[in-house]
Coordinates of all heavy atoms in Angstrom, one line a residue:
F1 N 159.7 87.4 -30.8 CA 160.8 87.4 -31.5 C 160.5 88.4 -32.8 O 159.4 88.3 -33.3 CB 161.2 86.2 -32.0 CG 161.7 85.2 -30.9 CD1 160.9 84.3 -30.3 CD2 163.0 85.2 -30.5 CE1 161.4 83.5 -29.3 CE2 163.5 84.5 -29.5 CZ 162.6 83.6 -28.9
K2 N 161.6 89.0 -33.2 CA 161.3 89.8 -34.4 C 162.5 89.3 -35.5 O 163.5 88.9 -35.0 CB 161.5 91.2 -34.3 CG 162.7 91.9 -33.7 CD 162.7 93.4 -33.5 CE 164.1 93.7 -32.9 NZ 164.2 95.1 -32.6
L3 N 162.2 89.4 -36.6 CA 162.9 89.0 -37.7 C 164.0 90.1 -38.2 O 163.5 91.2 -38.4 CB 162.2 88.5 -39.0 CG 162.9 87.7 -40.0 CD1 163.4 86.4 -39.4 CD2 161.9 87.3 -41.1
E4 N 165.2 89.8 -38.1 CA 166.3 90.9 -38.3 C 167.2 90.2 -39.5 O 167.2 89.1 -39.8 CB 167.2 91.2 -37.2 CG 166.4 91.8 -36.0 CD 166.3 93.2 -36.2 OE1 167.2 93.8 -36.6 OE2 165.3 93.7 -35.8
K5 N 168.0 91.1 -40.0 CA 169.1 90.7 -41.0 C 170.4 90.8 -40.3 O 170.7 91.9 -39.7 CB 169.0 91.5 -42.2 CG 167.8 91.3 -43.0 CD 168.1 90.5 -44.3 CE 166.8 90.5 -45.2 NZ 166.9 89.4 -46.1
D6 N 171.3 89.8 -40.4 CA 172.7 89.9 -39.9 C 173.5 89.3 -40.8 O 173.4 88.1 -41.1 CB 172.6 89.0 -38.5 CG 174.0 89.1 -37.9 OD1 174.8 90.1 -38.1 OD2 174.4 88.1 -37.1
E7 N 174.4 90.2 -41.4 CA 175.3 89.7 -42.5 C 174.4 89.0 -43.7 O 175.0 88.0 -44.2 CB 176.4 88.7 -42.0 CG 177.3 89.5 -40.9 CD 178.3 88.6 -40.3 OE1 178.5 87.4 -40.8 OE2 178.9 88.9 -39.3
G8 N 173.4 89.7 -44.1 CA 172.5 89.0 -45.1 C 171.7 87.9 -44.7 O 170.9 87.3 -45.6
K9 N 171.7 87.4 -43.6 CA 171.0 86.1 -43.2 C 169.9 86.6 -42.2 O 170.0 87.4 -41.4 CB 172.0 85.2 -42.4 CG 171.3 83.9 -42.1 CD 172.5 83.2 -41.3 CE 172.0 81.9 -40.8 NZ 173.0 81.1 -40.1
E10 N 168.7 86.1 -42.4 CA 167.6 86.4 -41.6 C 167.7 85.6 -40.3 O 168.0 84.4 -40.2 CB 166.2 86.0 -42.2 CG 165.8 86.9 -43.3 CD 164.6 86.6 -43.9 OE1 164.0 85.4 -43.8 OE2 164.0 87.5 -44.4
I11 N 167.6 86.4 -39.2 CA 167.6 85.8 -37.8 C 166.6 86.3 -37.0 O 166.0 87.3 -37.3 CB 169.0 86.2 -37.1 CG1 169.1 87.6 -37.0 CG2 170.2 85.5 -37.9 CD1 170.3 88.1 -36.1
L12 N 166.2 85.4 -36.1 CA 165.3 85.9 -35.0 C 166.0 86.5 -33.9 O 167.0 86.1 -33.5 CB 164.5 84.7 -34.4 CG 163.6 83.9 -35.3 CD1 163.0 82.7 -34.6 CD2 162.4 84.8 -35.8
Q13 N 165.4 87.7 -33.4 CA 166.0 88.4 -32.4 C 165.1 88.9 -31.2 O 163.9 89.2 -31.6 CB 166.7 89.7 -32.9 CG 167.5 90.5 -31.9 CD 168.3 91.7 -32.5 OE1 168.3 91.8 -33.8 NE2 168.6 92.6 -31.7
T14 N 165.5 88.8 -30.0 CA 164.6 89.2 -28.9 C 165.4 89.8 -27.8 O 166.7 89.6 -27.8 CB 163.7 88.1 -28.5 OG1 162.7 88.6 -27.6 CG2 164.5 87.0 -27.7
D15 N 164.8 90.5 -26.9 CA 165.5 90.8 -25.6 C 165.0 90.1 -24.4 O 163.9 89.6 -24.4 CB 165.2 92.4 -25.3 CG 165.7 93.4 -26.4 OD1 166.8 93.0 -26.8 OD2 165.1 94.3 -26.7
V16 N 165.9 90.0 -23.4 CA 165.6 89.2 -22.2 C 166.0 90.0 -21.1 O 167.1 90.6 -21.2 CB 166.2 87.8 -22.2 CG1 166.2 87.2 -20.9 CG2 165.6 86.9 -23.2
G17 N 165.3 89.9 -19.9 CA 165.7 90.6 -18.8 C 165.1 89.7 -17.6 O 164.4 88.9 -17.6
C18 N 165.7 90.2 -16.4 CA 165.2 89.5 -15.3 C 164.7 90.6 -14.2 O 165.4 91.6 -13.9 CB 166.3 88.8 -14.6 SG 166.8 87.3 -15.5
L19 N 163.6 90.4 -13.7 CA 163.1 91.2 -12.6 C 162.8 90.3 -11.4 O 161.9 89.5 -11.5 CB 162.0 92.0 -13.0 CG 161.3 93.0 -12.0 CD1 162.3 94.0 -11.5 CD2 160.1 93.6 -12.5
I20 N 163.6 90.5 -10.4 CA 163.5 89.5 -9.2 C 163.1 90.4 -8.0 O 163.7 91.4 -7.7 CB 164.7 88.8 -8.9 CG1 165.3 88.1 -10.2 CG2 164.7 87.9 -7.7 CD1 164.5 86.9 -10.6
D21 N 162.1 90.0 -7.3 CA 161.7 90.7 -6.1 C 162.9 90.8 -5.1 O 163.6 89.9 -5.0 CB 160.6 89.9 -5.3 CG 160.0 90.6 -4.1 OD1 160.7 90.7 -3.0 OD2 158.8 90.9 -4.1
W22 N 163.1 92.0 -4.5 CA 164.3 92.2 -3.7 C 164.5 91.2 -2.6 O 165.7 91.0 -2.2 CB 164.2 93.7 -3.1 CG 163.1 93.8 -2.1 CD1 161.8 94.2 -2.2 CD2 163.2 93.7 -0.6 NE1 161.1 94.2 -1.1 CE2 162.0 93.8 -0.1 CE3 164.2 93.1 0.2 CZ2 161.6 93.7 1.3 CZ3 164.0 92.9 1.5 CH2 162.7 93.3 2.0
R23 N 163.4 90.6 -2.1 CA 163.6 89.5 -1.0 C 164.2 88.3 -1.5 O 164.8 87.5 -0.8 CB 162.2 89.1 -0.6 CG 161.6 90.3 0.2 CD 160.2 90.0 0.5 NE 159.3 89.8 -0.8 CZ 158.1 89.4 -0.8 NH1 157.4 89.1 0.3 NH2 157.5 89.3 -1.9
F24 N 164.3 88.1 -2.9 CA 165.0 87.0 -3.4 C 166.2 87.2 -4.3 O 166.7 86.3 -5.0 CB 163.9 86.2 -4.3 CG 162.6 86.0 -3.5 CD1 161.6 86.7 -3.8 CD2 162.6 84.7 -2.5 CE1 160.4 86.2 -3.1 CE2 161.5 84.5 -1.9 CZ 160.3 85.3 -2.1
H25 N 166.7 88.4 -4.2 CA 167.9 88.8 -4.8 C 169.1 87.9 -4.3 O 169.2 87.4 -3.0 CB 168.4 90.3 -4.5 CG 167.6 91.2 -5.3 ND1 167.9 92.5 -5.4 CD2 166.5 91.0 -6.2 CE1 167.1 93.2 -6.2 NE2 166.2 92.3 -6.6
R26 N 170.1 87.7 -5.1 CA 171.3 86.9 -4.8 C 171.1 85.6 -4.3 O 172.0 85.0 -3.5 CB 172.2 87.8 -3.8 CG 172.3 89.2 -4.2 CD 173.6 89.9 -4.1 NE 174.8 89.2 -4.0 CZ 175.6 89.0 -5.1 NH1 175.4 89.5 -6.3 NH2 176.8 88.4 -4.8
K27 N 170.1 84.9 -4.8 CA 169.9 83.5 -4.5 C 170.0 82.6 -5.6 O 169.8 81.5 -5.7 CB 168.4 83.3 -3.9 CG 168.2 84.2 -2.6 CD 167.0 83.7 -1.9 CE 166.8 84.4 -0.7 NZ 167.8 84.3 0.4
G28 N 170.4 83.2 -6.8 CA 170.7 82.4 -8.0 C 169.5 82.1 -8.9 O 169.7 81.5 -10.0
Y29 N 168.4 82.8 -8.7 CA 167.2 82.5 -9.4 C 167.3 83.2 -10.9 O 167.0 82.6 -11.9 CB 166.0 83.2 -8.9 CG 165.6 82.5 -7.6 CD1 165.3 83.2 -6.5 CD2 165.4 81.2 -7.4 CE1 165.0 82.6 -5.3 CE2 165.2 80.5 -6.3 CZ 165.0 81.3 -5.2 OH 164.7 80.6 -4.0
A30 N 167.9 84.3 -11.0 CA 168.2 85.0 -12.4 C 169.2 84.2 -13.2 O 169.0 83.9 -14.3 CB 168.7 86.4 -12.2
L31 N 170.3 83.7 -12.6 CA 171.3 82.9 -13.2 C 170.6 81.6 -13.7 O 170.9 81.2 -14.9 CB 172.4 82.6 -12.2 CG 173.5 81.7 -12.8 CD1 174.2 82.3 -13.9 CD2 174.5 81.3 -11.7
E32 N 169.9 81.0 -12.8 CA 169.2 79.7 -13.3 C 168.3 79.9 -14.4 O 168.2 79.0 -15.4 CB 168.5 79.0 -12.1 CG 167.8 77.8 -12.3 CD 167.3 77.1 -11.2 OE1 167.6 77.5 -10.0 OE2 166.4 76.1 -11.2
T33 N 167.5 81.0 -14.5 CA 166.6 81.3 -15.5 C 167.3 81.5 -16.7 O 166.9 81.1 -17.7 CB 165.6 82.4 -15.0 OG1 165.0 82.2 -13.8 CG2 164.6 82.8 -16.1
L34 N 168.3 82.4 -16.7 CA 169.0 82.8 -17.9 C 169.8 81.6 -18.5 O 169.8 81.4 -19.7 CB 169.9 83.8 -17.6 CG 169.4 85.2 -17.4 CD1 170.3 86.2 -17.0 CD2 168.6 85.7 -18.7
Q35 N 170.3 80.6 -17.7 CA 170.9 79.5 -18.2 C 169.8 78.7 -18.9 O 170.2 78.0 -20.0 CB 171.5 78.7 -17.1 CG 172.8 79.4 -16.5 CD 173.3 78.7 -15.3 OE1 172.6 78.2 -14.4 NE2 174.8 78.8 -15.1
A36 N 168.6 78.5 -18.5 CA 167.6 77.6 -19.1 C 167.2 78.4 -20.3 O 167.0 77.6 -21.3 CB 166.4 77.5 -18.1
I37 N 167.2 79.5 -20.4 CA 166.8 80.4 -21.7 C 167.9 80.2 -22.8 O 167.6 79.9 -23.9 CB 166.6 81.8 -21.4 CG1 165.2 82.1 -20.6 CG2 166.5 82.7 -22.7 CD1 165.1 83.5 -20.0
V38 N 169.1 80.3 -22.3 CA 170.2 80.1 -23.2 C 170.2 78.6 -23.8 O 170.3 78.3 -25.0 CB 171.6 80.5 -22.6 CG1 172.8 80.0 -23.4 CG2 171.7 81.9 -22.4
E39 N 170.1 77.7 -22.9 CA 170.1 76.3 -23.3 C 168.8 76.0 -24.3 O 169.1 75.3 -25.3 CB 169.9 75.4 -22.1 CG 169.9 73.8 -22.4 CD 169.8 73.0 -21.2 OE1 170.1 73.4 -20.1 OE2 169.2 71.9 -21.4
Y40 N 167.7 76.6 -24.0 CA 166.5 76.4 -24.9 C 166.8 77.1 -26.2 O 166.5 76.5 -27.2 CB 165.4 77.1 -24.2 CG 164.1 76.9 -25.0 CD1 163.3 75.9 -25.1 CD2 163.7 78.1 -25.8 CE1 162.2 75.7 -25.9 CE2 162.5 78.0 -26.6 CZ 161.8 76.9 -26.7 OH 160.7 76.8 -27.4
A41 N 167.4 78.3 -26.2 CA 167.8 78.9 -27.5 C 168.6 78.1 -28.4 O 168.3 78.0 -29.6 CB 168.4 80.3 -27.2
F42 N 169.7 77.5 -27.8 CA 170.5 76.7 -28.6 C 170.0 75.4 -29.1 O 170.1 74.9 -30.3 CB 172.0 76.5 -27.9 CG 172.9 77.7 -28.0 CD1 173.3 78.4 -26.9 CD2 173.3 78.2 -29.3 CE1 174.1 79.5 -26.9 CE2 174.1 79.2 -29.3 CZ 174.5 79.9 -28.2
S43 N 169.3 74.7 -28.1 CA 168.9 73.3 -28.4 C 167.5 73.2 -29.2 O 167.4 72.5 -30.1 CB 168.8 72.5 -27.1 OG 167.8 73.0 -26.3
E44 N 166.6 74.0 -28.8 CA 165.2 74.0 -29.5 C 165.1 74.9 -30.5 O 164.6 74.6 -31.6 CB 164.3 74.1 -28.4 CG 164.2 73.3 -27.3 CD 164.0 71.9 -27.8 OE1 163.1 71.6 -28.6 OE2 164.5 70.9 -27.1
L45 N 165.6 76.2 -30.3 CA 165.4 77.1 -31.4 C 166.6 77.2 -32.5 O 166.7 77.9 -33.4 CB 165.4 78.6 -30.9 CG 164.1 78.8 -29.8 CD1 164.2 80.2 -29.3 CD2 162.8 78.4 -30.5
K46 N 167.8 76.5 -32.2 CA 168.8 76.3 -33.0 C 169.6 77.7 -33.2 O 170.0 78.0 -34.3 CB 168.5 75.6 -34.4 CG 167.8 74.4 -34.3 CD 168.6 73.4 -33.4 CE 167.8 72.1 -33.5 NZ 168.2 71.2 -32.3
A47 N 169.7 78.4 -32.1 CA 170.4 79.7 -32.0 C 171.8 79.4 -32.3 O 172.4 78.4 -32.0 CB 170.3 80.4 -30.7
E48 N 172.4 80.4 -33.1 CA 173.8 80.3 -33.5 C 174.6 81.3 -32.7 O 175.9 81.2 -32.6 CB 174.0 80.5 -35.0 CG 173.4 79.5 -35.9 CD 173.4 79.8 -37.3 OE1 174.3 80.6 -37.6 OE2 172.7 79.2 -38.2
K49 N 174.0 82.3 -32.2 CA 174.8 83.3 -31.5 C 173.8 84.0 -30.4 O 172.6 84.1 -30.6 CB 175.2 84.4 -32.5 CG 175.8 85.7 -31.8 CD 176.4 86.6 -33.0 CE 175.3 87.5 -33.5 NZ 175.8 88.5 -34.4
I50 N 174.4 84.1 -29.4 CA 173.7 85.0 -28.3 C 174.8 86.1 -27.8 O 175.8 86.0 -27.6 CB 173.5 84.1 -27.0 CG1 172.3 83.1 -27.4 CG2 172.9 84.9 -25.9 CD1 171.9 82.1 -26.4
S51 N 174.1 87.3 -27.7 CA 174.8 88.4 -27.2 C 174.1 89.1 -26.1 O 173.0 89.0 -25.8 CB 175.1 89.4 -28.3 OG 173.9 89.9 -28.7
A52 N 174.9 89.8 -25.2 CA 174.4 90.4 -24.0 C 175.1 91.8 -24.1 O 176.1 92.0 -24.2 CB 174.8 89.6 -22.8
D53 N 174.1 92.8 -23.7 CA 174.6 94.2 -23.4 C 173.7 94.8 -22.4 O 172.6 94.4 -22.2 CB 174.6 95.0 -24.8 CG 173.4 95.1 -25.4 OD1 172.8 94.1 -25.9 OD2 172.8 96.2 -25.5
T54 N 174.3 95.9 -21.9 CA 173.7 96.7 -20.8 C 174.3 98.0 -20.7 O 175.4 98.2 -21.3 CB 173.5 95.9 -19.5 OG1 172.6 96.6 -18.6 CG2 174.9 95.8 -18.9
N55 N 173.7 98.9 -19.9 CA 174.4 100.1 -19.6 C 175.6 99.8 -18.7 O 175.6 99.0 -17.9 CB 173.5 101.1 -18.8 CG 172.3 101.5 -19.8 OD1 172.4 101.6 -20.9 ND2 171.1 101.8 -19.1
T56 N 176.6 100.7 -18.9 CA 177.8 100.5 -18.0 C 177.4 100.6 -16.5 O 178.1 99.9 -15.8 CB 178.8 101.7 -18.3 OG1 179.0 101.7 -19.7 CG2 180.1 101.6 -17.5
E57 N 176.5 101.4 -16.1 CA 176.2 101.5 -14.7 C 175.4 100.4 -14.1 O 175.2 100.3 -12.9 CB 175.2 102.7 -14.4 CG 175.7 104.0 -15.1 CD 175.5 104.2 -16.6 OE1 174.3 103.8 -17.0 OE2 176.3 104.8 -17.2
N58 N 174.9 99.4 -15.0 CA 174.1 98.3 -14.5 C 175.1 97.2 -14.0 O 175.1 96.2 -14.6 CB 173.4 97.8 -15.6 CG 172.1 96.9 -15.1 OD1 172.3 96.2 -14.0 ND2 171.1 96.6 -16.0
K59 N 175.6 97.4 -12.8 CA 176.7 96.5 -12.3 C 175.9 95.1 -12.0 O 176.7 94.0 -12.3 CB 177.3 97.1 -11.1 CG 178.5 96.3 -10.4 CD 179.7 96.9 -10.5 CE 180.8 96.2 -9.8 NZ 181.5 95.3 -10.7
P60 N 174.9 95.0 -11.5 CA 174.2 93.7 -11.1 C 174.2 92.7 -12.4 O 174.4 91.6 -12.5 CB 172.9 94.0 -10.5 CG 173.1 95.3 -9.9 CD 173.9 96.1 -10.9
W61 N 173.6 93.4 -13.5 CA 173.6 92.6 -14.7 C 174.9 92.3 -15.4 O 175.1 91.2 -15.9 CB 172.7 93.4 -15.8 CG 172.4 92.6 -17.0 CD1 173.0 92.9 -18.2 CD2 171.4 91.6 -17.2 NE1 172.5 92.0 -19.1 CE2 171.5 91.3 -18.6 CE3 170.5 91.1 -16.4 CZ2 170.8 90.3 -19.1 CZ3 169.7 90.0 -17.0 CH2 169.9 89.7 -18.2
R62 N 175.8 93.2 -15.3 CA 177.1 92.9 -15.7 C 177.8 91.7 -14.9 O 178.5 90.8 -15.6 CB 178.0 94.2 -15.7 CG 177.6 95.2 -16.7 CD 178.4 96.6 -16.6 NE 179.6 96.3 -16.6 CZ 180.7 97.1 -16.0 NH1 180.1 98.2 -15.3 NH2 181.8 96.8 -15.8
N63 N 177.6 91.8 -13.7 CA 178.1 90.6 -12.8 C 177.5 89.3 -13.2 O 178.1 88.4 -13.2 CB 177.8 91.0 -11.4 CG 178.7 92.1 -10.7 OD1 179.7 92.4 -11.4 ND2 178.3 92.6 -9.6
L64 N 176.1 89.3 -13.4 CA 175.5 88.2 -13.9 C 176.0 87.6 -15.2 O 176.2 86.4 -15.3 CB 174.0 88.4 -13.9 CG 173.0 87.2 -14.3 CD1 173.3 86.1 -13.2 CD2 171.6 87.7 -14.3
M65 N 176.2 88.6 -16.1 CA 176.9 88.1 -17.4 C 178.2 87.6 -17.3 O 178.7 86.6 -17.8 CB 176.9 89.4 -18.4 CG 175.5 89.8 -18.7 SD 174.4 88.5 -19.6 CE 173.4 87.9 -18.2
D66 N 179.0 88.1 -16.4 CA 180.3 87.6 -16.0 C 180.2 86.2 -15.5 O 181.0 85.4 -15.8 CB 181.2 88.5 -15.0 CG 181.6 89.9 -15.5 OD1 181.7 89.9 -16.8 OD2 181.9 90.7 -14.7
V67 N 179.3 85.9 -14.7 CA 179.2 84.6 -14.0 C 178.6 83.6 -15.2 O 179.1 82.4 -15.3 CB 178.1 84.5 -12.9 CG1 177.7 83.1 -12.6 CG2 178.5 85.3 -11.7
M68 N 177.8 84.1 -16.1 CA 177.3 83.3 -17.2 C 178.5 82.7 -18.2 O 178.3 81.7 -18.7 CB 176.3 84.0 -18.0 CG 175.0 84.2 -17.4 SD 173.9 82.9 -17.3 CE 173.6 82.5 -19.2
V69 N 179.5 83.6 -18.4 CA 180.5 83.3 -19.3 C 181.7 82.5 -18.6 O 182.6 82.1 -19.3 CB 181.0 84.4 -20.2 CG1 179.9 85.0 -21.0 CG2 181.6 85.5 -19.2
S70 N 181.6 82.5 -17.4 CA 182.7 81.7 -16.7 C 182.5 80.3 -16.3 O 181.5 79.8 -16.6 CB 183.1 82.5 -15.4 OG 182.1 82.6 -14.5

């Protein structure tokens, strides 16, 4: 984590990604892992905000983010 300023408030910020062996794609492992990370961030680290971004061409990640918010 690195310390950043957001609207004058100090926050911890980091990046997260998933790299899954092709043999295990589309089995829900990335979704399960990201859900656990988000839950940990809110419950243990007391996160107030989580954001996700990627390149427009990264359709698999965009689809995963769509599932996360639905």
Side-chain angles (χ1 to χ4, degrees):
F1 294 97
K2 62 182 180 179
L3 202 53
E4 297 278 326
K5 292 251 185 203
D6 184 23
E7 299 177 8
K9 183 177 175 183
E10 289 186 335
I11 60 169
L12 292 176
Q13 182 175 349
T14 192
D15 292 323
V16 167
C18 292
L19 181 61
I20 306 290
D21 186 295
W22 67 269
R23 295 170 295 175
F24 304 104
H25 283 191
R26 312 227 16 106
K27 298 194 183 298
Y29 298 128
L31 177 61
E32 186 174 341
T33 301
L34 288 172
Q35 287 172 328
I37 290 169
V38 168
E39 181 179 332
Y40 179 80
F42 282 119
S43 65
E44 299 297 322
L45 301 177
K46 305 304 181 209
E48 296 176 18
K49 176 173 83 172
I50 292 180
S51 62
D53 61 289
T54 189
N55 295 330
T56 306
E57 307 84 35
N58 193 344
K59 186 119 173 86
W61 184 259
R62 289 177 46 212
N63 288 343
L64 184 59
M65 294 301 98
D66 286 342
V67 170
M68 289 283 297
V69 298
S70 61

